[in-house]
């Protein structure tokens, strides 16, 4: 019987159909302990990590029986993929289940920041209160505004669908232009990154974390943006130079930001916690009950397909 080591407590219902065919090792709560890892890492045939668990060279070297790493989630920057491949270990990810919930959260952050919903809610509940007046607490309308999507993959397109329904114009930046069919579906225009930054009223980041995208939004890029822009990041924290972002928010050189990810998670700079024009979310883009179950089943299906000699759902190659 093959052993699957799961690095974080995940919904037990997702494992119900395979418990008689595989030995499942999983923490009862939270992230795997050092003791549990030491006991099982050298004995597992498959590893199912979440983004919170770093699959380093050391972990891979200790996993002497390991044949496949099936990552939970679309991103896999928590895994040393190149080293795993050199050791003959397959790597897969779970991109499909994250598409709609991440787009939902990105759009929720966008709308919330634009209309200052959470900010006004906090102030109404405070002892200081808030002034209710026709010219106070003004936000930004979405209708007729331009949304710039950086990384028009599946999640970016799911966001575009939502934004289009609200009457927004869609522009996007990709290294490669999308097909005419996809562009027509969203009435989207392909532009350079600099052009997108300069003309967008809202910007949403959906690029992967790579050496090329590290701090892709830095001081030069912020200087191109409108002072009325809203910046959303549900991708990876290090796409943005966080110190520069804080400065632009403090000086009100951008209208606001909605952040689900941070540069040095789980640390969040105290300055962000004190600002009213930034909305914070705890890396929760896929944080629904439905998605946790679906993502677990998807990752498990990659493992099952591998051991049964079937086609992998989503192999990672570099």
């Amino acid at each position: 019987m093959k052993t699957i080591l799961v690095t974080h407590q995940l919904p037990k219902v997702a494992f119900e159909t395979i418990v008689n065919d595989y030995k499942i090792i999983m923490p009862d709560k939270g992230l795997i302990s050092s003791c549990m890892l030491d006991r099982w890492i050298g004995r597992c045939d498959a590893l199912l990590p979440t983004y919170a668990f770093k699959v380093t060279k050391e972990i891979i070297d200790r996993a002497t029986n390991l044949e496949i790493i099936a990552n939970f989630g679309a991103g896999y920057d928590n895994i040393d993929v190149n080293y795993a491949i050199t050791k003959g270990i397959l790597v897969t990810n779970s991109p499909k289940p994250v598409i709609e919930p991440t787009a939902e959260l990105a759009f929720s952050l966008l709308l919330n920041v634009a209309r200052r919903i959470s900010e006004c809610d906090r102030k109404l509940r405070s002892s200081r209160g808030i002034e209710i007046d026709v010219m106070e607490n003004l936000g930004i309308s979405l209708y007729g505004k331009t949304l710039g999507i950086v990384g028009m993959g599946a999640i970016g397109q799911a966001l575009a669908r939502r934004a289009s329904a609200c009457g927004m114009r869609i522009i996007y930046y990709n290294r490669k232009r999308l097909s005419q069919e996809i562009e027509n579906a969203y009435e989207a225009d392909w532009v350079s990154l600099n052009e997108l930054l300069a003309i967008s009223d809202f910007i949403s980041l959906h690029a992967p974390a790579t050496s090329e995208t590290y701090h892709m939004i830095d001081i030069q890029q912020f200087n191109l943006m409108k002072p009325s822009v809203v910046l959303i990041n549900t991708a990876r924290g290090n796409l943005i130079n966080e110190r520069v972002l804080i400065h632009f928010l403090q000086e009100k050189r951008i209208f606001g930001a909605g952040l689900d990810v941070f540069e040095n998670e789980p640390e969040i700079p105290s300055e962000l916690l004190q600002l009213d024009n930034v909305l914070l979310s705890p890396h929760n883009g896929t944080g629904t009950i439905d998605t946790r179950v679906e993502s677990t089943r998807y990752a498990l299906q990659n493992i099952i397909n591998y051991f049964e000699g079937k086609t992998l759902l989503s192999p990672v190659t570099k």
Side-chain angles (χ1 to χ4, degrees), residues 214-215 236-238 240 242-243 261-269:
Y214 177 79
H215 283 188
R236 284 293 186 265
N238 64 13
I240 301 174
E242 204 163 66
R243 302 313 307 178
V261 288
F262 307 92
E263 191 164 358
N264 298 298
E265 290 181 20
E267 177 188 343
I268 300 175

Side-chain angles (χ1 to χ4, degrees), residues 61-249:
D61 284 339
R62 291 170 61 191
T64 51
N65 287 341
L66 189 60
E67 298 181 52
I68 180 171
I69 302 168
N71 208 43
F72 177 96
Y76 44 85
D77 48 305
N78 59 310
I79 301 172
D80 191 329
V81 175
N82 289 330
Y83 189 68
I85 291 173
T86 65
K87 301 287 284 189
I89 299 169
L90 289 171
V91 180
T92 65
N93 64 338
S94 308
K96 188 176 179 181
V98 311
I99 295 169
E100 297 300 333
T102 305
E104 284 177 356
L105 185 68
F107 192 72
S108 299
L109 292 172
L110 186 153
L111 180 57
N112 193 314
V113 175
R115 297 303 303 271
R116 301 172 64 184
I117 297 170
S118 292
E119 177 191 347
C120 291
D121 176 78
R122 286 194 305 272
K123 290 178 178 178
L124 280 167
R125 296 169 187 268
S126 71
S127 57
R128 183 180 58 178
I130 190 171
E131 184 177 357
I132 300 177
D133 184 84
V134 70
M135 291 305 295
E136 295 293 330
N137 315 310
L138 303 182
I140 301 172
S141 295
L142 271 58
Y143 185 82
K145 299 296 175 60
T146 297
L147 169 62
I149 298 175
V150 179
M152 190 74 157
I155 296 172
Q157 290 175 41
L159 175 62
R161 188 174 73 248
R162 290 163 170 79
S164 294
C166 290
M168 300 186 79
R169 176 199 172 198
I170 307 300
I171 61 174
Y172 74 96
Y173 166 73
N174 264 0
R175 285 183 298 177
K176 294 182 179 180
R177 186 171 186 172
L178 298 176
S179 69
Q180 193 69 51
E181 181 182 7
I182 294 175
E183 287 188 348
N184 290 344
Y186 308 109
E187 297 183 357
D189 295 313
W190 182 48
V191 297
S192 69
L193 179 59
N194 284 352
E195 185 178 358
L196 181 147
L197 297 173
I199 67 177
S200 293
D201 300 298
F202 298 85
I203 299 168
S204 191
L205 305 182
H206 300 281
T210 67
S211 57
E212 290 79 18
T213 61
Y214 177 79
H215 283 188
M216 69 184 302
I217 306 298
D218 211 327
I219 188 164
Q220 298 90 343
Q221 288 72 37
F222 276 108
N223 280 328
L224 293 172
M225 297 179 192
K226 298 177 180 181
S228 58
V229 75
V230 171
L231 177 63
I232 305 298
N233 189 10
T234 56
R236 284 293 186 265
N238 64 13
L239 301 184
I240 301 174
N241 185 328
E242 204 163 66
R243 302 313 307 178
V244 175
L245 169 64
I246 289 168
H247 172 74
F248 271 70
L249 288 167

Side-chain angles (χ1 to χ4, degrees), residues 266-279:
E267 177 188 343
I268 300 175
S270 59
E271 296 94 330
L272 287 179
L273 299 174
Q274 296 163 8
L275 287 166
D276 281 329
N277 56 344
V278 60
L279 180 63

Side-chain angles (χ1 to χ4, degrees), residues 1-5 39-47 58-69 84 87-90 303 306-307:
M1 181 179 288
K2 298 292 186 180
T3 298
I4 302 174
L5 178 61
R39 180 179 179 186
W40 291 104
I41 190 62
R43 299 157 67 179
C44 67
D45 303 287
L47 182 65
E58 187 230 351
I59 293 292
I60 293 169
D61 284 339
R62 291 170 61 191
T64 51
N65 287 341
L66 189 60
E67 298 181 52
I68 180 171
I69 302 168
K87 301 287 284 189
I89 299 169
L90 289 171
I303 293 172
Y306 168 73
F307 286 124

